[in-house]
Amino acid sequence: MGDRASPSGRHIHLYFSPWLHESRAWRAGRAALDAGLAAEVDYVGHAVAGLDLIEPRGPGETVRRVGPSPAVPGTGRLTRALALPAWWRATVRDMGQRTPATLVIAHSLASLPLGVLLKIRSGARLLYDAHELESEREGWSWPVRKAARIVETALIRFCDHTIVVNDSIADWYRVAYRGLSVSTVRNVPTSLAYRGESTLRQDIGVGEDAVVVAYAGAFTRGRGLETAVEAFSRVGGDKHLVMVGYGPMSADLAALAAGQPNIHLRPSVAHDQVVSYLRGADVGLCQPNGTSLSYHFGLPNKLFEYAAAGLAVIVGEGPEFRAFANESGLGWSIRNDVDSLVSTIAQLTRASIKERIAQSTYRPPTWADEKVRLLDALRRAVGGIGSADEDSSASVQEVRALQ
C-alpha cells in the first residue's frame, strides 16, 4: 500500500446501514476531501433491494453497498445476527479488489471488528467514531451488553484514535479504557441559516396564541414519547404537542393521540429543512426515559437544532442535558416522568417563553465549529498530530460511580 500518512490517500467509512441518512459520516468525508486529507472517500454499507450497489455522491465520494441484505424485522435472532459477519466477509472481498485505504473509520461497534481486520490486512490507520456509548445501547439485554463490552475492550486498542459525540461519553471511555486517545466531535446543525417561513402552525391548525412544544426525531422506544403524549392529554387547552419524525412507533403514537386535539403527528422533513420547520414551535422537547447508560449520557443533535431554530427547551436529567439547560439558559432540565412534564408545561405562556429566549446569549455551535475538531481527530489518526487529550467535564466522578 501507499504511504499511510499521506494527505492524499483513500478513506473508507464503515457502517452497517444502507447509507441513506448518515449525515455525520458524509460531513466527515467531505471535510477530509476539502482539507486535502483524502483524495477519495468510500462509504461502505450493506445492500438493500432497490438501491444502487455503487452510488456516486460527489467529487471523490462513493457509496458502496455490498453483501446480502440483512433479515427483515421479525426474522429469527440468529438469522439477523449472521447478516453481520456475512457483510464483513463481503466487504473484505470488495476491498481486496480496490486501492488500499490509508484510513478506515468504523462508525459503530458492529463495524469495529471489520475495521480492525482491514487495518491488520492493509496497514491502514483506524479511527473509531462511536455514535453513542456503543457497548451500553438502549434495548440491549445484560448478556448482550456484556458481550459488547468484551468485544470493545479487545478491539479498541487497535484504534489509532477514537471520537465520541459529547464530553460525558468521552469521560466514560477514558475511565473504561485507560490511556485511550479520544476526543469529542458533536452532532450539530450544518448551519444556523433558515429559509422562508415555517408552516408548522398551519399544518397542525393552531393560532398565534397557542403554546407549541415540538419533538423532532425518530419514533422509537426510550425517547419519552409515551410520557409526552400522556402529559399533553392531561394538560389540554392551548398547550399543543407536535411530534415530527418517523419510526416503528408511528402507529402506536397515532393510537395514543387519537381523540386528543392538542396532540399532532407530522411526517419527517428533509434534514436541511428541520431548523426552518421547527421555527414555528415555541419549545423543543427531549426527555428520554430509556434506562441505558448511552441514553443517560446522551446529547442528541436535536438540542442544537432546537436552539438554532430559536426555541426554548425542556430536557431530561442526564448530565449533558443539565449542562445544556444551565449553560444555554434556554430552558428546563426535569425528571423523566409525566408529573414533572405536566408541571412544567402548565406554567408555560408564549410571553414567558419569549422572555427566557430573549435573556439567553447562547450561540448554538454549527458544523463550522465542529469541523475543526474533526480535522484534528483525522490528523491524529493518520499521523499522531493534534492537541492533547483532556478530562473534559465534571462528570468524571459520575461516570466512575455508574461503571
Side-chain angles (χ1 to χ4, degrees), residues 5 66 77 80 98 105 128 140 165 239 245 251 260 365:
V66 302
R77 181 174 296 179
R80 296 198 308 272
R98 312 198 180 281
I105 301 97
Y128 184 24
W140 282 3
V165 295
K239 307 297 191 338
Q260 303 291 340

Side-chain angles (χ1 to χ4, degrees), residues 239-298:
K239 307 297 191 338
H240 289 256
L241 170 68
V242 56
M243 294 174 284
V244 183
Y246 65 95
M249 282 187 65
S250 295
D252 292 340
L253 291 174
L256 289 172
Q260 303 291 340
N262 67 326
I263 301 176
H264 317 268
L265 270 70
R266 297 295 304 168
S268 59
V269 298
H271 179 75
D272 61 353
Q273 297 174 10
V274 171
V275 171
S276 300
Y277 193 67
L278 290 175
R279 285 184 174 269
D282 302 295
V283 179
L285 177 65
C286 188
Q287 190 194 18
N289 58 355
T291 58
S292 67
L293 285 181
S294 184
Y295 270 30
H296 177 72
F297 287 124

Side-chain angles (χ1 to χ4, degrees), residues 192-252:
L192 298 179
Y194 66 99
R195 297 172 295 185
E197 297 298 323
S198 171
T199 63
L200 186 150
R201 286 181 178 266
Q202 297 96 301
D203 292 343
I204 64 176
V206 302
E208 291 301 314
D209 293 334
V211 171
V212 177
V213 178
Y215 167 88
F219 295 165
T220 56
R221 303 287 176 188
R223 296 180 179 237
L225 299 178
E226 308 98 316
T227 299
V229 170
E230 182 178 348
F232 276 84
S233 69
R234 287 166 51 178
V235 173
D238 63 347
K239 307 297 191 338
H240 289 256
L241 170 68
V242 56
M243 294 174 284
V244 183
Y246 65 95
M249 282 187 65
S250 295
D252 292 340

Side-chain angles (χ1 to χ4, degrees), residues 50-385:
L51 295 179
D52 293 337
L53 295 180
I54 300 177
E55 178 186 336
R57 271 194 53 84
E61 297 177 279
T62 305
V63 174
R64 310 188 67 85
R65 301 182 178 98
V66 302
S69 300
V72 298
T75 309
R77 181 174 296 179
L78 178 59
T79 301
R80 296 198 308 272
L82 291 176
L84 187 57
W87 176 65
W88 295 343
R89 291 192 297 270
T91 301
V92 169
R93 288 195 300 268
D94 183 71
M95 293 299 101
Q97 302 170 19
R98 312 198 180 281
T99 305
T102 55
L103 179 65
V104 175
I105 301 97
H107 283 273
S108 65
L109 181 55
S111 303
L112 186 56
L114 176 58
V116 171
L117 179 58
L118 291 176
K119 173 178 180 172
I120 292 172
R121 288 171 65 97
S122 69
R125 307 284 281 189
L126 178 60
L127 176 68
Y128 184 24
D129 186 352
H131 290 203
E132 58 180 288
L133 211 167
E134 289 286 334
S135 62
E136 298 287 341
R137 285 175 173 261
E138 182 68 20
W140 282 3
S141 64
W142 181 87
V144 172
R145 291 198 306 272
K146 181 68 173 178
R149 183 69 179 274
I150 291 171
V151 171
E152 190 173 64
T153 300
L155 298 182
I156 201 166
R157 299 299 178 185
F158 287 88
C159 299
D160 297 287
H161 191 62
T162 295
I163 58 176
V164 297
V165 295
N166 67 53
D167 289 341
S168 290
I169 291 179
D171 289 339
W172 188 95
Y173 273 94
R174 291 190 183 98
V175 172
Y177 308 113
R178 294 293 182 182
L180 186 70
S181 176
V182 59
S183 57
T184 298
V185 179
R186 296 170 294 180
N187 286 327
V188 298
T190 54
S191 172
L192 298 179
Y194 66 99
R195 297 172 295 185
E197 297 298 323
S198 171
T199 63
L200 186 150
R201 286 181 178 266
Q202 297 96 301
D203 292 343
I204 64 176
V206 302
E208 291 301 314
D209 293 334
V211 171
V212 177
V213 178
Y215 167 88
F219 295 165
T220 56
R221 303 287 176 188
R223 296 180 179 237
L225 299 178
E226 308 98 316
T227 299
V229 170
E230 182 178 348
F232 276 84
S233 69
R234 287 166 51 178
V235 173
D238 63 347
K239 307 297 191 338
H240 289 256
L241 170 68
V242 56
M243 294 174 284
V244 183
Y246 65 95
M249 282 187 65
S250 295
D252 292 340
L253 291 174
L256 289 172
Q260 303 291 340
N262 67 326
I263 301 176
H264 317 268
L265 270 70
R266 297 295 304 168
S268 59
V269 298
H271 179 75
D272 61 353
Q273 297 174 10
V274 171
V275 171
S276 300
Y277 193 67
L278 290 175
R279 285 184 174 269
D282 302 295
V283 179
L285 177 65
C286 188
Q287 190 194 18
N289 58 355
T291 58
S292 67
L293 285 181
S294 184
Y295 270 30
H296 177 72
F297 287 124
L299 181 68
N301 62 342
K302 64 174 58 67
L303 289 185
F304 300 116
E305 292 172 337
Y306 294 157
L311 308 185
V313 295
I314 298 173
V315 299
E317 54 189 333
E320 294 287 336
F321 287 136
R322 292 195 301 267
F324 183 88
N326 293 334
E327 293 170 10
S328 71
L330 288 174
W332 306 266
S333 172
I334 64 175
R335 295 192 309 275
N336 297 329
D337 58 57
V338 174
D339 290 340
S340 296
L341 185 54
V342 168
S343 175
T344 303
I345 297 165
Q347 67 175 323
L348 297 179
T349 65
R350 292 207 78 192
S352 66
I353 295 167
K354 290 180 179 178
E355 181 179 1
R356 178 175 284 270
I357 294 170
Q359 291 175 349
S360 172
T361 59
Y362 180 68
R363 174 188 175 275
T366 68
W367 179 238
D369 303 307
E370 292 304 296
K371 185 167 66 172
V372 175
R373 297 186 181 195
L374 183 278
L375 294 176
D376 180 71
L378 292 178
R379 292 186 181 100
R380 300 184 72 177
V382 298
I385 303 169

